[in-house]
Amino acid sequence: MLARSASVLEKCAELHVSCRTYAAAAAAACLRTAETEEQSQLSAAHERRLQEMYRATGEAQPMMQQASERKTYLPSAAEVADRLSSSKGASCSSANSTTDNNTGIDWREAVAVLQAQDRQRLQQNMLTDTFRRQHTYLRISLTEKCNLRCMYCMPEEGTDLTPKDDLLTTAEILRLSRLFVEGGVNKIRLTGGEPTLRRDIVDLTGQLNALPGLQAIGITTNGIALKRKLSDLQAQGLSLLNLSLDTLQPDRFEQMTRRRGHERVLETLDLALSLGLDPVKVNVVVMRGINDDEMGDFVELTRHKAINVRFIEYMPFDGNVWAEPKMVTYRQMLDAVQQRFPNGLQRMQDPRHEVAKNFHIPGFKGSVSFITSMTQAFCGDCNRLRLMADGNLKVCLFGANEVSLRDAMRQGASDDDLRVIISAAVDRKKAAHAGMFEIAKNKNRAMVHIGG
């Protein structure tokens, strides 16, 4: 498949001028929206399943996006040729996607193919995909290790971790971060595993903060080991904090994480507020029959604390035993909160690239949000890329396709080579993921490997 794609790209490079005219005609005739025929079929199947689910639960079905509202675009000649030669790969997590993490782009082949094209143009637009989405947000996983064993993140029996020598070094992280920032990234979030377990995280944060053009550095953490490092991290440039906390009950915390430490997380939350970090977000993965009865209590936290509580739909990853009945949908979560606060929840204006639907209650210091990755995806405005601890670049959370930037660096790739590889990977990002029922069937890495 890779050889065939390379051949198609090479031919398009040779016929670039004529293909550009052909691309416009093909786009006008066949590609009116960002969906291919396969994506339309997957979306229809996804919609049918959602309708069945809504009928079964008796909840109101959300309005689906009208075709006239979808963003139109003019694809490149290479994209038109690729789509005409194969209808596969309509979505990041389609059944046709590879599930083998080692079968992604080989960097030498990618560079060889793309050298025939306008290399300067590719480098200048390396973070803009074929759907005109500009990627300005990079999530970097610093480690696969974690001091908790959350049921939705890590299999109960544990998981094999990448050997230390195969993880990115600090110098490699900084090199790649520089290239991404030069390419347009203005926000970096440090994730894991548990990022605070990386010994040099404070120094690394300071070196990232020195990159010209970087506007914000955040961290997503369970908070267990953060308290003693938080002041130093803030001094080095950390400005955004997401705390993962799925219950306000200490005994339930031990059941869900298989570890102790609930009190330390709450102490870290209070310290963050006292230090003036803004925003401070609390991520709550809601699971039916496990913690969905605490949603009102989490909202109550926002009465006196200037925090943003974010309720997240339960998502399937390798080893977390996802099942549809365990998932509480956005509409169900919203109804539960409205029942507890019947006269208060008001919709807020969402900023561009926002993944959450934001609300607030008048008189409360904080806010409440819902992340609806499963029932109402936000792929059309996605600006995120993920650099995993092993050096693989993942352009979609739910997609199996990855490319190793670590291997390329260690085998002598120049900065220009890396820019071309990154550009090629971004160009492979699809219009949307395939919908929650397709995602659940496909193999993906455990969340501890991907990075939260």
Side-chain angles (χ1 to χ4, degrees):
M1 180 65 186
L2 180 59
R4 186 178 68 178
S5 297
S7 177
V8 170
L9 286 173
E10 286 173 341
K11 187 172 183 179
C12 283
E14 296 170 0
L15 303 174
H16 182 72
V17 175
S18 59
C19 279
R20 179 177 297 175
T21 302
Y22 176 68
C30 305
L31 300 172
R32 300 293 185 185
T33 72
E35 294 178 317
T36 62
E37 180 181 354
E38 181 190 7
Q39 177 61 17
S40 298
Q41 294 170 352
L42 290 170
S43 297
H46 176 56
E47 172 64 5
R48 287 194 298 271
R49 292 293 300 276
L50 282 177
Q51 289 175 348
E52 294 171 2
M53 182 175 63
Y54 289 126
R55 283 196 295 269
T57 60
E59 61 178 303
Q61 182 181 1
M63 294 293 293
M64 299 302 292
Q65 187 183 35
Q66 298 299 314
S68 61
E69 297 175 349
R70 299 184 185 120
K71 183 179 180 181
T72 59
Y73 73 103
L74 181 63
S76 65
E79 183 188 5
V80 171
D82 185 56
R83 290 193 177 200
L84 290 175
S85 65
S86 172
S87 62
K88 295 183 178 181
S91 62
C92 290
S93 47
S94 68
N96 293 316
S97 297
T98 177
T99 56
D100 185 347
N101 290 324
N102 295 319
T103 59
I105 302 173
D106 178 89
W107 76 269
R108 293 183 187 85
E109 293 185 56
V111 170
V113 171
L114 294 170
Q115 277 177 338
Q117 300 185 13
D118 187 342
R119 190 181 181 108
Q120 182 177 3
R121 180 185 61 80
L122 287 169
Q123 293 168 4
Q124 291 174 345
N125 300 285
M126 73 173 187
L127 300 185
T128 301
D129 66 17
T130 56
F131 301 97
R132 303 299 184 261
R133 292 174 298 201
Q134 293 181 310
H135 296 79
T136 59
Y137 182 9
L138 178 65
R139 301 173 70 93
I140 302 176
S141 177
L142 299 183
T143 180
E144 295 176 349
K145 294 180 179 179
C146 189
N147 46 10
L148 297 181
R149 296 292 182 271
C150 299
M151 59 179 62
Y152 56 81
C153 184
M154 184 180 292
E156 184 173 5
E157 66 276 12
T159 185
D160 293 333
L161 300 181
T162 301
K164 181 179 179 180
D165 290 343
D166 292 336
L167 299 175
L168 289 179
T169 66
T170 298
E172 290 169 336
I173 291 174
L174 291 171
R175 180 185 179 188
L176 292 174
S177 297
R178 173 178 56 80
L179 294 178
F180 276 101
V181 172
E182 289 173 354
V185 163
N186 56 37
K187 176 181 176 182
I188 287 178
R189 180 170 295 277
L190 306 177
T191 71
E194 172 48 45
T196 59
L197 297 184
R198 189 175 179 110
R199 293 181 180 180
D200 65 347
I201 186 173
V202 174
D203 292 337
L204 176 58
T205 300
Q207 294 180 75
L208 289 173
N209 192 48
L211 293 175
L214 186 63
Q215 299 174 8
I217 300 176
I219 188 172
T220 296
T221 168
N222 60 39
I224 296 290
L226 178 61
K227 183 179 177 181
R228 64 179 180 271
K229 299 179 180 179
L230 186 54
S231 295
D232 291 338
L233 284 169
Q234 185 184 31
Q236 292 297 319
L238 182 75
S239 58
L240 309 172
L241 173 62
N242 285 27
L243 275 177
S244 298
L245 179 63
D246 302 310
T247 177
L248 296 174
Q249 302 176 19
D251 57 340
R252 183 176 286 179
F253 180 89
E254 292 187 27
Q255 294 172 359
M256 295 182 70
T257 67
R258 308 179 184 113
R259 297 291 187 274
R260 297 179 179 178
H262 186 261
E263 184 178 350
R264 278 182 281 171
V265 181
L266 295 180
E267 290 174 351
T268 299
L269 175 60
D270 289 336
L271 175 60
L273 293 173
S274 69
L275 291 174
L277 285 172
D278 183 26
V280 174
K281 299 180 180 181
V282 177
N283 293 342
V284 186
V285 177
V286 181
M287 292 169 281
R288 193 182 310 280
I290 296 178
N291 65 342
D292 56 329
D293 59 336
E294 294 189 62
M295 294 184 64
D297 296 335
F298 273 104
V299 175
E300 187 62 38
L301 281 181
T302 69
R303 184 186 298 271
H304 301 297
K305 297 180 185 293
I307 61 175
N308 173 224
V309 171
R310 309 201 306 171
F311 296 117
I312 303 173
E313 290 179 334
Y314 183 32
M315 295 176 281
F317 293 99
D318 192 29
N320 73 352
V321 199
W322 183 90
E324 183 185 330
K326 295 181 183 179
M327 186 188 70
V328 184
T329 69
Y330 160 53
R331 292 292 174 176
Q332 292 168 342
M333 292 190 289
L334 183 61
D335 287 346
V337 174
Q338 289 176 328
Q339 289 176 14
R340 175 77 174 265
F341 304 92
N343 300 316
L345 207 58
Q346 295 184 2
R347 192 72 162 90
M348 299 171 62
Q349 183 69 37
D350 299 330
R352 188 184 180 193
H353 302 308
E354 178 60 272
V355 301
K357 296 171 175 61
N358 300 295
F359 297 79
H360 76 99
I361 299 177
F364 283 32
K365 290 185 176 181
S367 58
V368 179
S369 302
F370 301 88
I371 298 181
T372 62
S373 303
M374 303 303 289
T375 60
Q376 294 186 31
F378 33 82
C379 304
D381 198 33
C382 182
N383 69 332
R384 299 180 172 203
L385 300 170
R386 282 177 162 80
L387 179 61
M388 293 183 285
D390 64 1
N392 276 18
L393 177 63
K394 195 176 185 73
V395 298
C396 175
L397 175 61
F398 299 110
N401 289 329
E402 302 171 3
V403 59
S404 178
L405 301 180
R406 176 204 65 202
D407 289 351
M409 287 189 293
R410 295 183 183 182
Q411 293 166 12
S414 67
D415 284 357
D416 282 348
D417 291 336
L418 290 170
R419 291 186 181 100
V420 172
I421 297 166
I422 293 168
S423 176
V426 171
D427 277 349
R428 296 176 78 200
K429 188 168 182 173
K430 306 304 180 183
H433 68 61
M436 65 179 177
F437 303 111
E438 286 294 324
I439 292 171
K441 292 190 298 184
N442 294 332
K443 185 176 177 59
N444 198 358
R445 295 221 219 180
M447 196 64 190
V448 72
H449 288 294
I450 297 173

